[in-house]
Amino acid sequence: SLDGRAFLSSLSPRCSDLKLIRLTAVILLALCSTSRPAPALESAGRLMARCEAVLWQQKQDAGRGLELADPNHSGLIGPEWNPLVTDIGHWGDKVASARPEMADALAGYFRRARLKRGDVIAVNASGSFPGFLLATLCAAQTLGLQPVVAYSLGASSYGATDPNFPFPAALEILRQRGHLKDFPLLIFPG
């Protein structure tokens, strides 16, 4: 069996030079890359954070903030059970989907898909994960995409399950205050 050094010395000089160049390129890329996202990606997360602050404040002003259920004060975590709940949901999944970094991640996916300003994207969402829908809208807006949204009012536990503050009403508040431009084209029971 060959060890690594013997294997490299057995290669022709040209092949080992190419491997060395590739290895050097990988190391340089790793050293030169930063963990900081591009400015457009940062702005998607910042926009989502601003939207969440508005929603949290709206819920607090109405006495509906769920301090324990919504530890990050996103304004996107609803009650476990009520008439809007259509299925069992997992609280941790709802909290994770409501993080502003989700908007940054989606903006990255949209860029990798080579979507460009003015492209239309179809979005089918339910109240189960309002964080994902808000992240999608924030990412689309910062990249100049045109989302066409169909939204179902039904939600699993901890989603958009507050009957006194349905998610379309939350989106309308964000639109009226100038944070979001787009609103669901279709809204239907779920």
Side-chain angles (χ1 to χ4, degrees):
S1 94
L2 291 175
D3 67 13
R5 215 177 286 145
F7 175 75
L8 284 176
S9 65
S10 72
L11 296 174
S12 69
R14 183 175 177 184
C15 187
S16 65
D17 288 345
L18 289 175
K19 287 187 181 263
L20 182 59
I21 290 170
R22 275 193 225 142
L23 179 62
T24 303
V26 168
I27 291 170
L28 285 174
L29 282 173
L31 292 174
C32 294
S33 68
T34 64
S35 59
R36 209 174 84 214
L41 299 180
E42 287 180 334
S43 67
R46 283 194 311 269
L47 175 58
M48 186 165 172
R50 285 194 310 273
C51 290
E52 288 181 346
V54 168
L55 297 179
W56 177 256
Q57 189 59 54
Q58 188 75 23
K59 282 189 167 186
Q60 290 301 300
D61 291 348
R64 292 191 299 263
L66 300 171
E67 293 283 342
L68 295 177
D70 195 354
N72 298 324
H73 299 168
S74 69
L76 299 172
I77 309 301
E80 182 178 9
W81 294 109
N82 69 27
L84 287 177
V85 175
T86 59
D87 202 359
I88 295 172
H90 300 284
W91 173 80
D93 297 340
K94 310 306 169 133
V95 172
S97 74
R99 295 187 54 84
E101 294 86 356
M102 198 59 66
D104 291 337
L106 285 169
Y109 292 137
F110 293 159
R111 289 177 135 184
R112 282 191 290 287
R114 294 192 173 107
L115 295 175
K116 59 190 174 306
R117 184 169 295 283
D119 282 353
V120 175
I121 60 170
V123 180
N124 185 19
S126 75
S128 293
F129 285 94
F132 283 141
L133 178 53
L134 183 59
T136 302
L137 294 174
C138 290
Q141 183 168 309
T142 59
L143 296 175
L145 304 175
Q146 304 298 313
V148 176
V149 180
Y151 178 79
S152 167
L153 291 169
S156 55
S157 306
Y158 305 108
T161 54
D162 184 344
N164 298 312
F165 194 54
F167 198 57
L171 292 174
E172 179 59 17
I173 288 168
L174 295 173
R175 192 186 65 73
Q176 287 177 353
R177 294 191 184 177
H179 295 287
L180 288 180
K181 297 177 194 169
D182 296 297
F183 190 79
L185 179 65
L186 299 169
I187 299 174
F188 49 94

